[in-house]
Amino acid sequence: MPWIETVPYEEATGKLKMLYDRVKGPDNNVDNIMMMHSLRPHSMEGHMAIYKYVLHHSGNTIPKWFLEVLGVWVSSLNECNYCVDHHFAGLKRLLADDPRADAIRVAIETRNVDAAPLDDAQKLAMEYARQLTRDPGGMKEDIVIRLRDAGFSDGEILEINQVSAYFGYANRTVLGLGCSTKGDILGLSPNKSDDPDAWNHS
């Protein structure tokens, strides 16, 4: 059970019911992280908007599976098993290469990024995410220059930054309110990347 009261789908009314209907998956399932917002639906609306725009927008040019890798990495660094489990299932589905996905997870869990089956630029992006998560005040322009030199555009560097920052927020929402995966369907995500207002999960 979470540490605060939440409103189940069956009892939702008004704006909360409208938002639940936008974010729900099969069998009216609403992810527990969204239910954490049920006493303040406006914060759920803000959370879903930034989640969809940061991670699932067609304007992104970094592959979605790798954005999910960054999310799993940040969540692991923050010891947020909820987000690790959800987003690893998502990256595994998107990557469609189970042995590679499993090897990435092992590298994340052992904190051995060099062992991950990723290219050097992607490993550098993970180092950026690690620094931003563990030592945000110690960030220096040098790593942005290195990302640019590795082939990332400034817009892609912004994508890396925003995904890393979003998961810091999501992890703290989960960990600070006792959110668990009980009853959740792992790995669902908004299925229409070309429509930023399409929030339904499948």
Side-chain angles (χ1 to χ4, degrees):
M1 294 293 291
W3 301 338
I4 63 169
E5 176 187 350
T6 59
V7 180
Y9 178 85
E10 296 75 19
E11 298 176 17
T13 60
K15 183 172 184 176
L16 178 61
K17 176 66 160 53
M18 178 194 73
L19 291 172
Y20 274 175
D21 282 337
R22 288 187 69 187
V23 304
K24 70 183 181 181
D27 300 321
N28 296 327
N29 178 271
V30 176
D31 285 347
N32 290 334
I33 191 172
M34 288 297 118
M35 283 195 182
M36 294 298 102
H37 293 280
S38 58
L39 300 180
R40 298 291 185 269
H42 56 273
S43 71
M44 183 195 306
E45 193 168 24
H47 187 155
M48 269 307 298
I50 194 167
Y51 166 67
K52 181 67 190 271
Y53 277 72
V54 165
L55 201 64
H56 296 286
H57 196 284
S58 60
N60 291 339
T61 56
I62 292 177
K64 191 186 296 186
W65 71 264
F66 183 67
L67 295 179
E68 292 279 22
V69 169
L70 292 175
V72 173
W73 175 228
V74 170
S75 299
S76 179
L77 291 170
N78 284 325
E79 299 182 36
C80 181
N81 293 332
Y82 178 95
C83 291
V84 168
D85 290 344
H86 261 284
H87 290 275
F88 177 71
L91 90 82
K92 198 167 191 175
R93 176 172 52 83
L94 290 165
L95 189 58
D97 182 342
D98 286 0
R100 187 179 181 198
D102 290 340
I104 291 170
R105 183 159 188 175
V106 169
I108 286 172
E109 290 176 346
T110 59
R111 304 289 188 265
N112 185 9
V113 171
D114 285 340
L118 300 168
D119 64 33
D120 289 343
Q122 291 166 337
K123 291 176 183 179
L124 183 60
M126 292 183 73
E127 173 56 20
Y128 175 94
R130 186 198 66 78
Q131 288 187 28
L132 188 62
T133 302
R134 287 294 177 86
D135 185 23
M139 296 295 292
K140 305 292 184 188
E141 185 181 5
D142 173 70
I143 193 163
V144 170
I145 294 170
R146 291 167 60 203
L147 286 167
R148 192 181 293 130
D149 290 345
F152 289 109
S153 69
D154 280 22
E156 289 171 333
I157 294 168
L158 176 61
E159 290 178 36
I160 294 164
N161 168 271
Q162 288 295 285
V163 168
S164 302
Y166 164 73
F167 276 93
Y169 162 73
N171 298 161
R172 284 156 179 79
T173 299
V174 166
L175 294 170
L177 297 173
C179 182
S180 76
T181 57
K182 184 177 181 181
D184 276 359
I185 302 172
L186 298 181
L188 301 183
S189 63
N191 61 352
K192 294 183 179 177
S193 292
D194 58 340
D195 182 358
D197 295 318
W199 293 357
N200 276 51
H201 283 53
S202 64

